[in-house]
Amino acid sequence: MSHIKLSHLFITSTLALVLGGCGDKNDKAVFSPEGGHPSDWIITHKTSARADVASCTECHGEKYTGGIAKVGCMEPSAVKGFTCHFSSPVENMTGCISCHGNGPYGPYGVTAPNRQFAHARHTALAGVDCDTCHEKAGTGTAGHAKATGTGVSRATVVLASKYNAYKASVPFGYADGKCSNVSCHGGTLTPAWTGTLVVVSGDKNICLKCHEQRGTSGIQPYNSYYSGDYSGTNLHEYHLGAAVNATCTDCHRISTLTNYQQHYGGISANTFTAPQQTIGESPTKIGSYSSGRCLNTAVGCHPSGFNPSWR
């Protein structure tokens, strides 16, 4: 009889231990009366995890891959509609890529919160980090994406004032997945974030997607072009006009344009940092460019011996 009582006591004690949260290590975790986390735990768990993330290991395993709970923190498929922690939550506790994609560049997948869209073009090719476009919108802030019972709301897109496209106060805009009035796109309306920038191979006017010729009045973008003067004639206007009918890549070489560090020196630059770096060499018509002068008499752009300074 006592043997039965002892067995019953052991089973009861073991069950209580499981229902209580696997052990003393989980004192900071929150559990429902049924022995699991509350239904909204996936939304609210970050506070407890930050307080003592090691407490999660007792149920979810030493490396957070499942453990006795059979639920890992880096699940390849969605849990209750949410897919989080593509890298270890411990390795990147306060960063973005723990939930928004693995590796140094962030989102690379197809489902929230890891949708790639145009992220790779900005983070890997243009050297942009998360805070560039999501200023003060990290986890725990009012601007961060919100998890709800039916899905995830979109993260707030806000750019710092240093990315303003205009010298005057023209506010940054974001609507229908498109950015407007940002210096990195020359103030022009961008393609939708979910789409792609269509660039036709050999497009000689590719520069016009981000740069426009400055007019004589009104608000002008920082990186509009209207430089050079010869006897009162603006040289950009003259070369691109009917008199010469040149295109951007006749003078600016594509190999440099695709290297953002040589092209504009960084996404936060509001002015041309070294435009001379983009001028000259094949396949342009200019043999070389030095001290503001085009040395191109061999290809006949200018009459022999005529190479006035652009400046």
Side-chain angles (χ1 to χ4, degrees):
M1 186 73 173
S2 59
H3 175 72
I4 296 174
K5 286 182 178 179
L6 286 174
S7 298
H8 177 72
L9 179 62
F10 175 77
I11 293 171
T12 303
S13 300
T14 303
L15 182 60
L17 183 64
V18 173
L19 294 180
C22 304
D24 295 338
K25 199 173 184 180
N26 254 307
D27 289 343
K28 290 188 172 70
V30 177
F31 294 88
S32 70
E34 293 76 23
H37 291 300
S39 59
D40 65 343
W41 182 249
I42 200 167
I43 301 172
T44 61
H45 76 287
K46 61 180 179 288
T47 301
S48 294
R50 284 179 174 174
D52 183 12
V53 72
S55 67
C56 305
T57 62
E58 190 162 334
C59 289
H60 296 283
E62 183 179 352
K63 295 185 177 181
Y64 309 94
T65 54
I68 63 173
K70 307 299 183 185
V71 177
C73 299
M74 289 89 73
E75 289 290 316
S77 57
V79 176
K80 292 190 176 181
F82 302 108
T83 306
C84 296
H85 295 303
F86 284 81
S87 61
S88 170
V90 178
E91 294 173 1
N92 201 40
M93 177 68 77
T94 59
C96 300
I97 63 172
S98 177
C99 290
H100 302 287
N102 203 356
Y105 299 126
Y108 63 92
V110 295
T111 59
N114 190 32
R115 284 189 287 247
Q116 184 182 58
F117 294 139
H119 276 110
R121 287 186 173 273
H122 289 72
T123 56
L125 298 181
V128 175
D129 60 21
C130 304
D131 289 337
T132 300
C133 300
H134 300 286
E135 187 186 34
K136 299 178 181 178
T139 180
T141 67
H144 192 253
K146 301 296 187 297
T148 67
T150 57
V152 181
S153 65
R154 187 174 61 194
T156 301
V157 180
V158 176
L159 273 75
S161 59
K162 64 182 176 181
Y163 303 108
N164 188 359
Y166 298 93
K167 295 177 181 177
S169 179
V170 178
F172 159 77
Y174 183 79
D176 300 323
K178 300 176 181 180
C179 293
S180 58
N181 305 330
V182 288
S183 59
C184 29
H185 286 271
T188 61
L189 186 65
T190 71
W193 183 257
T194 54
T196 57
L197 176 63
V198 178
V199 178
V200 179
S201 178
D203 183 0
K204 293 185 177 182
N205 291 307
I206 185 176
C207 309
L208 302 181
K209 293 184 182 297
C210 291
H211 303 290
E212 61 183 51
Q213 182 166 303
R214 180 174 64 83
T216 57
S217 62
I219 301 172
Q220 309 298 339
Y222 280 113
N223 62 356
S224 60
Y225 55 88
Y226 196 78
S227 64
D229 179 82
Y230 180 75
S231 298
T233 299
N234 176 265
L235 294 180
H236 258 120
E237 188 174 47
Y238 177 77
H239 283 77
L240 295 172
V244 178
N245 198 29
T247 60
C248 303
T249 55
D250 284 335
C251 299
H252 297 277
R253 62 182 184 272
I254 290 292
S255 62
T256 302
L257 298 178
T258 54
N259 183 322
Y260 81 91
Q261 291 175 317
Q262 291 180 306
H263 185 176
Y264 47 83
I267 200 73
S268 61
N270 279 331
T271 58
F272 292 112
T273 53
Q276 68 275 11
Q277 291 185 13
T278 72
I279 300 174
E281 298 181 9
S282 178
T284 68
K285 294 180 179 179
I286 300 172
S288 62
Y289 180 83
S290 177
S291 301
R293 299 178 186 275
C294 299
L295 307 178
N296 61 348
T297 54
V299 293
C301 290
H302 292 165
S304 180
F306 180 74
N307 58 341
S309 171
W310 184 268
R311 293 188 291 269

